[in-house]
Amino acid sequence: MPNHHRWAALTVLLVAEAMNLLDATIVQVAAPAIHAELGGPATTISWYSAAYTLPFALLLVTGGRLGDIAGRRRVFRIGVAVFTLASAACALAPSPVSLLVFRAIQGAAAALVIPQTIGLIRAMFDGPDRAKALGAIGPVMGLAAVCGPVLGGVLTQVWSWRAVFLVTVPLGLAVFAAAALLLEDRASARPRLDLVGTALVAAGAGLVVHPLVAGWHVGIFAGGLVLLVVFGFHQRRRRDRSPLIEADLFRDAGFPAALLTSVLFFAVMNGLMQVAVLHLQVAEHAGPGTAGLTLLPWSAGLAVSSWVAGTYLVPRFGGRLLFAGLALLAAGVAGLAAAFAAGWSPLVPLAVGGLGIGLFTVPFFTVALLRVRPEETGSAAGKSLAPLAFPHPTGPPRAGSRRCARGRPGCGAGWRTWR
């Protein structure tokens, strides 16, 4: 593939990445307005986000393996087409139930699109160009994180909540048309699909999450736990037949600990944003536009600190940056609680919390994937979304290699920190 075509193809993949995050974040601010028009129980406000993110997370590994089997460009285009149609259907939804169904279809389609990005970049680029291409994902995702809440608030207030779903329609059409630039690629050793495992983990996770969103129910929660235990035994039986979860990922305590940390961290972070949006619009009677603009310091802080951490701080300080990020996040959360309680402006605490998230996530995902072998990346990505935030995809240079000997950025003491 000619060099200029490769970088044009990379732009297609990055727009698809941004489209996914934009759709995940843009609805948070619009959710109260959606509920006000469509009605339904108050718990549906949380489900407008969860109905998208749950299928997306659960089907990532399966989506990646479909690309391995049928071809990554083909699966990418199918996913983009379904995603675009589902976005238009969301904008026309007449009821809460129909909107939730279309949101779930969006999430499932995104699970077909996003896993193909890493594989296609690896197929189109090598050497330093591959590192540059993968490294471009972080800033693009940061920009999408900044635009999502602000755009969602402004569109909802100026026009209608339905406009937030129409934003991704022209983007999806453009990505689908330009996907012809992508190189077709598939795995040389094709894995098998674990449809039973996918069904078990989807049903189990859905039953566990449902009481947390819709109201506590011991029976439903226990049923979900039972299905997840059955899923664990099923994966053990499929150990040599392309299991959904690679058992070798758990060969030492590092990856399970990172996985648990990731779950706790993002549960708190996403829950905090939901509470902040609801407090601004319900308790303080702010409009969607005001609520979206209020979250701008949070998103901007995240984008800036992610770029600074990935470019300068991680190579120098390594895993030690995690603790600085957590400290800033804790300070931001405490400041936000105090601001809401006292009626102060939440802008400064939100900016501090956003800075902390960026300083935490970049080194965290790098540490989490240090022991992951290339053949395990798809399975690891399906559980933690780690490749989307992996700032050094090619891994640390080998000790004594030319890259370190030349004293290039990211070598020397910074890389030794990782070891």
Side-chain angles (χ1 to χ4, degrees):
M1 174 181 289
N3 191 57
H4 64 282
H5 284 177
R6 291 191 304 166
W7 295 105
L10 175 64
T11 302
V12 175
L13 297 175
L14 293 178
V15 172
E17 292 272 5
M19 187 171 65
N20 165 61
L21 185 57
L22 186 67
D23 199 85
T25 58
I26 200 172
V27 178
Q28 289 181 337
V29 178
I34 297 173
H35 177 258
E37 180 175 327
L38 296 184
T43 53
T44 55
I45 295 177
S46 297
W47 277 111
Y48 290 134
S49 294
Y52 178 90
T53 55
L54 191 60
F56 171 66
L58 293 176
L59 297 176
L60 270 173
V61 174
T62 301
R65 288 184 174 167
L66 282 172
D68 291 339
I69 296 170
R72 295 187 175 95
R73 184 178 66 177
R74 179 182 300 173
V75 174
F76 178 87
R77 297 190 75 177
I78 292 172
V80 169
V82 175
F83 184 93
T84 305
L85 291 173
S87 297
C90 286
L92 301 173
S95 67
V97 173
S98 61
L99 179 55
L100 291 174
V101 170
F102 295 141
R103 285 290 283 166
I105 295 174
Q106 271 189 313
L112 296 179
V113 174
I114 301 304
Q116 317 313 326
T117 303
I118 303 298
L120 287 169
I121 289 177
R122 290 183 181 276
M124 294 186 297
F125 296 89
D126 53 21
D129 284 346
R130 178 184 291 177
K132 292 178 182 178
L134 287 166
I137 294 176
V140 170
M141 301 303 280
L143 180 61
V146 171
C147 294
V150 177
L151 191 59
V154 171
L155 287 175
T156 301
Q157 185 157 325
V158 173
W159 189 11
S160 164
W161 62 264
R162 298 182 185 275
V164 305
F165 296 108
L166 292 176
V167 169
T168 53
V169 173
L171 290 176
L173 292 174
V175 169
F176 182 83
L181 294 171
L182 301 175
L183 178 71
E184 184 58 281
D185 179 58
R186 56 173 54 88
S188 55
R190 301 182 186 179
R192 301 177 182 177
L193 289 178
D194 184 4
L195 298 179
V196 174
T198 301
L200 284 172
V201 73
L207 292 177
V208 167
V209 170
H210 185 274
L212 303 178
V213 177
W216 185 250
H217 192 291
V218 175
I220 295 177
F221 187 81
L225 292 179
V226 170
L227 286 179
L228 292 178
V229 171
V230 173
F231 168 73
F233 283 110
H234 171 74
Q235 292 299 284
R236 187 172 182 178
R237 290 183 59 188
R238 284 187 61 96
R239 181 177 301 175
D240 300 323
R241 292 180 295 148
S242 298
L244 197 63
I245 297 177
E246 298 289 347
D248 285 348
L249 288 171
F250 300 89
R251 59 186 177 271
D252 58 46
F255 188 81
L259 186 60
L260 178 60
T261 303
S262 176
V263 170
L264 295 175
F265 176 81
F266 285 105
V268 171
M269 186 187 75
N270 292 332
L272 180 65
M273 283 296 92
Q274 189 79 51
V275 170
V277 168
L278 290 176
H279 178 84
L280 289 168
Q281 296 193 51
V282 177
E284 299 190 5
H285 307 289
T290 302
L293 291 173
T294 302
L295 295 180
L296 183 58
W298 173 276
S299 299
L302 188 158
V304 171
S305 60
S306 296
W307 178 76
V308 172
T311 305
Y312 300 107
L313 300 181
V314 169
R316 182 172 181 180
F317 298 106
R320 290 173 291 177
L321 197 61
L322 288 166
F323 302 101
L326 286 176
L328 279 177
L329 177 59
V333 171
L336 185 62
F340 282 155
W344 301 334
S345 171
L347 297 182
V348 173
L350 284 169
V352 172
L355 289 171
I357 289 178
L359 293 182
F360 173 84
T361 52
V362 173
F364 168 76
F365 284 123
T366 306
V367 171
L369 286 188
L370 274 178
R371 294 186 178 90
V372 177
R373 298 194 299 265
E375 64 270 20
E376 299 167 343
T377 301
S379 184
K383 292 182 286 300
S384 63
L385 302 183
L388 300 184
F390 193 27
H392 299 293
T394 55
R398 298 183 303 273
S401 69
R402 285 187 176 182
R403 288 169 65 192
C404 277
R406 292 176 180 173
R408 293 182 178 179
C411 294
W415 286 117
R416 286 195 294 272
T417 302
W418 293 110
R419 296 186 176 275

